[in-house]
Amino acid sequence: MTGNHQTLALMLFSAFVAVTLAITTWVGRHRRGSAEEFYAGGRLFSPMENGFAIAGDYMSAASFLGISGLIALFGYDGLLYSVGFLVAWLVVLFLVAELVRNCGRFTLADVVAARMRERPVRIAAGTSSVVVSVLYLVAQMVGAGSLVALLLGGTSEAAQSWTVIGVGALMVIYVSLGGMRATTWIQIVKAVLLLSGTVTLTVLVLVRFHGDFDQLLLTAAERSGHGQSFLAPGLKYGGDWTARFDFISLGLALVLGTAGLPHILSRFYTVPTARAARRSVVWAIGLIGGFYLMTIVLGFGAAAIVGPDAVRGSNAAGNTAVPLLALDLGGGAHSTGGTVLFAVVAAVAFATILAVVAGITLASSASVAHDLYASLRRRRAKPRSEVAVARTAAVGIGVVAIALGLLARDLNVAFLVGLAFAVAASANLPVLLYSLFWRGFTTRGAVWSVYGGLVPAVVLVVLSPVVSGSPESLFPGVDFQYFPLQNPGLVSIPLGFAAGWLGTVTSAELPDEAKHAETEVRSLTGAGAV
């Protein structure tokens, strides 16, 4: 990219970072230091504010960069990611949002521990939440690295590495100083910026084709080199039965995983009531639905205008399709319009990454402090010491995410998020649904459910083509690939449910009918909710 691109985009990056740091500093000065304020923002946000924050939390680098890139490279099969990410919110709306808000306090483990022995359940759920969060963080780090490498004019490994480190440092600052209140406002600002940028690009793409969406699709198919097969299922997932099972696995993970993501569940605690939580989800579905419809236009627009070869040449995984599309729509590489539009899109994408990593880091550090630390101590931790541990945990999680982000920088970010969703759907969703709806569920069932989904999911990822055995793997030089699917959800999600059932039916512990009745009344009516 030219010096103009770099200068303008870096100025916009700096402006967003300065604004968000100002928000964080202001909130930090006015905080009371309570656990409720740090983890849940004092439960002061309105449904609309929380809906925008949920959308800001969910519309990640995977959505803006990864999905558009996959559509540009694989056409119809890339579009399936958009469908999966959106349909998942119906599960959240109808099964999870209100019940979780009524039963919990800060984390997923609160819901399960309401009717079980606390210590083993909190340790299991806390461990699972941290693993899911770190996987999700890695995807954001990879997106940041790809974006800034493009901005600086190539695929410089040094540029990518320093970007990942910089994003990690900023997310630790946001969480440590501002907690949930600052993180929420950063996500709201980011959601407005991202939706504005996406609307602008979508309108420009449609104007380029005079509003004729059919012509857009036909041009994309023509430039793809695959003809009409670009617009039909099978380009990525239809080659053989392994690819088809991989698609089923991915679909299960995307549709069921959202309801088990710790940073999404924690957002329901930032509103005062369960009704407000449900209205937040309705707001979020409207915003997220509109956004994913626009990513379809952007993906096919990148294929039609930029071309898959140019997208793949810039980044093999397709993560830079949208910035390249913005450059072309603005008038080309050496035009003022191209420079401005590219810089704005790059800055919005960078803002997207910073806001999402802040939310994920906060959720995972809350799990470390509120679940793991509080459970492993013999005496219950004081709220202030728990918050101090959460701030320290944010640093540790940041270091781990940076290290893994440097390792995985050549993988597609939407694909990486698919893995995080698979682990969330395997380990978190079964225990959550069993706790809310199964009267006979026991502590052993809860612990087995978490580990019975978490361990197989992680092991299958390690033994899959993602890690070894192919040129696109993390370790292409070695081969310990024994599991053929890239996403483990098809196997690990049923295992999570089966392990919870088996643990319960083999347990000598009698289910606590009184606690179940209390939890049921509380989840449905909100009586006694915090």
Side-chain angles (χ1 to χ4, degrees):
M1 293 300 132
T2 65
N4 288 338
H5 292 91
Q6 293 180 23
T7 304
L8 185 56
L10 289 172
M11 285 172 60
L12 291 170
F13 284 180
S14 302
F16 180 79
V17 171
V19 169
T20 52
L21 285 176
I23 292 171
T24 303
T25 305
W26 183 82
V27 170
R29 284 180 179 172
H30 292 81
R31 69 169 186 258
R32 296 186 301 274
S34 67
E36 184 170 298
E37 185 177 50
F38 184 79
Y39 294 138
R43 311 191 202 280
L44 299 174
F45 292 98
S46 70
M48 185 181 76
E49 290 168 345
N50 198 42
F52 269 88
I54 290 172
D57 215 351
Y58 194 70
M59 298 183 302
S60 65
S63 304
F64 191 52
L65 302 177
I67 292 178
S68 301
L70 285 172
I71 294 173
L73 298 180
F74 300 107
Y76 182 92
D77 281 11
L79 180 152
L80 296 169
Y81 275 85
S82 291
V83 176
F85 280 128
L86 179 57
V87 170
W89 279 96
L90 297 178
V91 178
V92 177
L93 178 63
F94 291 118
L95 289 180
V96 172
E98 283 192 56
L99 306 184
V100 165
R101 174 62 189 84
N102 282 334
C103 286
R105 189 164 173 239
F106 301 130
T107 64
L108 163 71
D110 289 336
V111 180
V112 185
R115 49 177 292 217
M116 310 290 174
R117 292 202 314 275
E118 281 205 37
R119 194 174 185 214
V121 165
R122 284 193 181 278
I123 292 171
T127 302
S128 170
S129 295
V130 171
V131 171
V132 172
S133 298
V134 168
L135 276 173
Y136 210 112
L137 277 173
V138 170
Q140 311 309 316
M141 299 294 193
V142 170
S146 300
L147 186 70
V148 174
L150 172 69
L151 179 69
L152 297 178
T155 54
S156 162
E157 290 192 3
Q160 286 181 293
S161 300
W162 281 110
T163 302
V164 168
I165 293 167
V167 170
L170 280 170
M171 78 185 189
V172 170
I173 292 169
Y174 290 148
V175 172
S176 300
L177 293 182
M180 179 59 87
R181 193 171 299 177
T183 299
T184 299
W185 282 111
I186 291 167
Q187 288 163 345
I188 291 170
V189 171
K190 167 260 172 133
V192 172
L193 289 174
L194 181 61
L195 288 167
S196 302
T198 309
V199 168
T200 301
L201 288 180
T202 301
V203 169
L204 290 174
V205 169
L206 293 175
V207 166
R208 176 74 66 94
F209 290 91
H210 308 290
D212 190 342
F213 192 67
D214 284 349
Q215 187 58 43
L216 167 63
L217 294 179
L218 291 173
T219 307
E222 185 181 327
R223 289 204 65 179
S224 71
H226 297 287
Q228 289 299 312
S229 62
F230 189 71
L231 305 177
L235 200 59
K236 182 173 173 62
Y237 293 112
D240 54 24
W241 279 105
T242 300
R244 294 175 190 181
F245 280 124
D246 224 343
F247 165 64
I248 295 170
S249 189
L250 173 68
L252 276 174
L254 295 183
V255 171
L256 299 178
T258 300
L261 290 175
H263 65 290
I264 296 298
L265 294 175
S266 67
R267 291 239 52 92
F268 301 139
Y269 301 127
T270 62
V271 290
T273 64
R275 183 168 180 266
R278 189 178 184 87
R279 288 173 61 200
S280 297
V281 176
V282 173
W283 271 99
I285 288 175
L287 296 169
I288 293 166
F291 171 77
Y292 281 121
L293 287 174
M294 290 186 285
T295 61
I296 296 170
V297 177
L298 299 186
F300 283 113
I305 296 169
V306 179
D309 291 338
V311 171
R312 200 176 276 111
S314 171
N315 181 272
N319 294 331
T320 53
V322 172
L324 290 174
L325 174 64
L327 188 64
D328 197 296
L329 289 172
H334 300 289
S335 66
T336 303
T339 301
V340 171
L341 198 56
F342 174 88
V344 168
V345 168
V348 167
F350 196 68
T352 293
I353 291 164
L354 286 178
V356 173
V357 297
I360 302 167
T361 307
L362 180 60
S364 51
S365 62
S367 292
V368 170
H370 186 62
D371 299 328
L372 297 177
Y373 172 74
S375 297
L376 293 171
R377 277 176 61 99
R378 294 195 174 183
R379 290 178 298 174
R380 189 70 179 165
K382 294 179 180 177
R384 286 184 182 275
S385 70
E386 204 178 278
V387 170
V389 171
R391 292 196 173 99
T392 306
V395 178
I397 289 161
V399 170
V400 172
I402 287 168
L404 292 174
L406 294 175
L407 188 65
R409 60 183 160 220
D410 293 326
L411 296 179
N412 182 279
V413 287
F415 168 73
L416 283 170
V417 165
L419 296 182
F421 273 61
V423 178
S426 305
N428 291 349
L429 184 64
V431 72
L432 184 61
L433 294 182
Y434 279 148
S435 297
L436 290 172
F437 299 110
W438 187 9
R439 183 180 298 275
F441 199 42
T442 63
T443 301
R444 178 193 278 185
V447 173
W448 282 27
S449 182
V450 173
Y451 292 129
L454 177 65
V455 174
V458 173
V459 169
L460 291 176
V461 168
V462 171
L463 299 178
S464 75
V466 176
V467 175
S468 70
S470 71
E472 297 82 24
S473 302
L474 283 179
F475 304 106
V478 293
D479 187 359
F480 45 88
Q481 174 199 333
Y482 298 103
F483 181 66
L485 305 184
Q486 292 189 328
N487 191 293
L490 186 62
V491 176
S492 59
I493 295 171
L495 283 177
F497 280 99
W501 172 82
L502 185 63
T504 297
V505 298
T506 60
S507 173
E509 171 192 359
L510 292 174
D512 191 326
E513 297 281 345
K515 278 192 176 179
H516 174 267
E518 181 185 334
T519 302
E520 188 173 39
V521 170
R522 180 171 163 181
S523 67
L524 295 174
T525 66
V530 178

